[in-house]
Amino acid sequence: MSDPTGSTAQQQPKPTEIANAAAEEARRRRLGLPPLPRRRRDRTRPVRRVLRWLVIVGVLVAIAFLGTSAWAYFSGVIGPLRGEEKAVARTLSLAGDTPAWADPEQIRCAAEAVVRDKGSTGLTKAGVIARTGSGHSYTGAWPSALGAEWYAELLGCAGGGPNSWSRQVAAAWTLDSPQCLRKIGRHAIAGVLAATDLRLGDDDISAKNVDAITDLDSCYARTPEAPTGAATAGYREVTLKVTAPAVPAGTVSIDDGSAEPTAGKAPELTYTLPVAQGGAEACVEATTEVTYAWGTVRTGEPARLCGKAAPARMEWHTVERSCPKGKPKCTYMAAYVEGLADNQTVTVTYRPSGDFRCAGKKPTCTVRIKADTNGKARTPGLMVTGKKGKVVASAGSLKATYTGS
């Protein structure tokens, strides 16, 4: 009788064999010989049987695996994509909307993953890919769920370990730590990226993003400080440099109401503010705004930043004028005024002393002058040749003194 595997090594002894063995035992006893050795039971038989079954099962599994793998490889499920699937993945890699922080290998990996999952037919039906003649083109339009999957694959294909995607996004968003990103989760962040970076054909993902954005705000968004200003006085104008504070994350800007900067860009803007006359004040009311990558805006308290223009001034200057007969060498001086308002009229009062005299020997004399459209004016020339003393010219708070030789 054989065992289940077909082996005949262990068979029951026949009656003749038993009789022969008994006779041999009797003979050996008569001759004083030792008995025949007992036949030991083979205890390794069950182990060999199990091993044979394991080998058979292993061979069958290997054959099935190799057959399935060959089918998957040649159909493009695993291994390199082929045919139309390969062309669509290439189109998505080269023409698709991808963030600047994703490297080419990461983009290729994500494109192939999406194509394997949806197929070229699925991406065409979704409207992401369009057939153009014998090729394909990228439309830029994504259903929101598929857009989120696209970004989830991009993040998942980031090299450098399972948490490298969070470090990558933290660097792109200038966040001080990627820890909160990991807590929120790769798929949730992928949905936020899709909503902010892609042209989605629906807003089904918006409600799903609410929790993720709330968590992002709680972790990273802060109310910024007010901007600061530095003023430089100019002629009937103020140059005001407004600087927003540095922020650890987000894009900082300056909300200046209706003011128009003349130079610079956020976070530092320069304003040239005209005023009506010298010494006048000009101000900008500015507020710091921080816009975070996921769309949240935080606004600080407004600050009124001011500066004053250079004050109006009066100076004596020599003027060209013909000398009277009998005095071939003479000097005329005039009081120049700058920083007045356009067409402003002022009265200049002379107060001479020493050898200087007003007409009619009056202690003071006056002259009215009118500013031009640039806020400048001057008095008529006053002859001061050969005189000793001084003449003080004044107009309101303006004053200039000429001292004779």
Side-chain angles (χ1 to χ4, degrees), residues 230-234 237-241 262 270-273 308:
T232 302
E237 69 180 19
V238 178
T239 300
L240 197 61
K241 183 177 289 185
T262 53
T270 298
Y271 299 83
T272 302
L273 309 173
K308 288 186 176 182

Side-chain angles (χ1 to χ4, degrees), residues 119-390:
S120 59
T121 302
L123 290 172
T124 303
K125 287 182 178 179
V128 179
I129 296 295
R131 297 184 183 277
T132 54
S134 59
H136 302 83
S137 63
Y138 173 70
T139 67
W142 291 82
S144 61
L146 187 54
E149 181 180 342
W150 167 238
Y151 262 102
E153 296 294 352
L154 273 172
L155 297 179
C157 286
N163 291 325
S164 60
W165 69 268
S166 62
R167 294 191 295 270
Q168 196 174 46
V169 174
W173 286 356
T174 64
L175 304 176
D176 53 3
S177 169
Q179 187 173 359
C180 286
L181 297 177
R182 297 170 193 164
K183 291 181 180 179
I184 296 170
R186 177 167 64 91
H187 288 278
I189 296 301
V192 174
L193 286 166
T196 54
D197 294 353
L198 296 178
R199 179 162 58 89
L200 301 180
D202 58 76
D203 58 356
D204 292 347
I205 202 171
S206 298
K208 297 179 181 178
N209 283 345
V210 170
D211 290 341
I213 290 175
T214 300
D215 291 339
L216 285 168
D217 289 346
S218 176
C219 192
Y220 298 113
R222 300 290 182 269
T223 300
E225 297 179 357
T228 57
T232 302
Y235 180 74
R236 296 207 310 178
E237 69 180 19
V238 178
T239 300
L240 197 61
K241 183 177 289 185
V242 178
T243 304
V247 295
T251 302
V252 66
S253 61
I254 298 172
D255 180 7
D256 52 18
S258 60
E260 290 290 338
T262 53
K265 61 181 181 179
E268 188 173 89
L269 299 175
T270 298
Y271 299 83
T272 302
L273 309 173
V275 295
Q277 61 187 41
E281 185 178 64
C283 301
V284 170
E285 190 167 282
T287 306
T288 304
E289 287 188 352
V290 179
T291 302
Y292 293 90
W294 50 93
T296 294
V297 178
R298 288 286 185 267
T299 303
E301 293 294 326
R304 186 172 175 82
L305 308 172
C306 302
K308 288 186 176 182
R313 63 181 182 178
M314 177 187 291
E315 296 176 341
W316 287 98
H317 290 285
T318 304
V319 295
E320 294 292 333
R321 185 173 173 179
S322 300
C323 294
K325 292 182 179 180
K327 291 189 176 181
K329 293 182 180 180
C330 65
T331 301
Y332 284 88
M333 300 295 292
Y336 278 75
V337 183
E338 295 183 349
L340 301 176
D342 291 350
N343 302 312
Q344 180 181 353
T345 300
V346 295
T347 299
V348 179
T349 300
Y350 294 139
R351 290 180 174 82
S353 63
D355 294 335
F356 296 106
R357 296 286 185 271
C358 289
K361 297 183 179 181
K362 294 181 179 179
T364 63
C365 47
T366 60
V367 59
R368 288 181 63 80
I369 57 175
K370 183 179 180 180
D372 58 18
T373 55
N374 198 29
K376 296 181 180 181
R378 74 175 182 87
T379 62
L382 178 67
M383 190 174 67
V384 294
T385 300
K387 303 290 185 179
K388 292 184 180 180
K390 64 181 181 180

Side-chain angles (χ1 to χ4, degrees), residues 383-405:
M383 190 174 67
V384 294
T385 300
K387 303 290 185 179
K388 292 184 180 180
K390 64 181 181 180
V391 179
V392 178
S394 62
S397 62
L398 303 178
K399 183 181 292 187
T401 301
Y402 172 77
T403 303
S405 55

Side-chain angles (χ1 to χ4, degrees), residues 104-124:
E105 178 60 26
Q106 182 178 359
I107 296 170
R108 183 197 62 78
C109 167
E112 292 183 356
V114 171
V115 171
R116 282 197 177 95
D117 184 38
K118 300 299 179 184
S120 59
T121 302
L123 290 172
T124 303

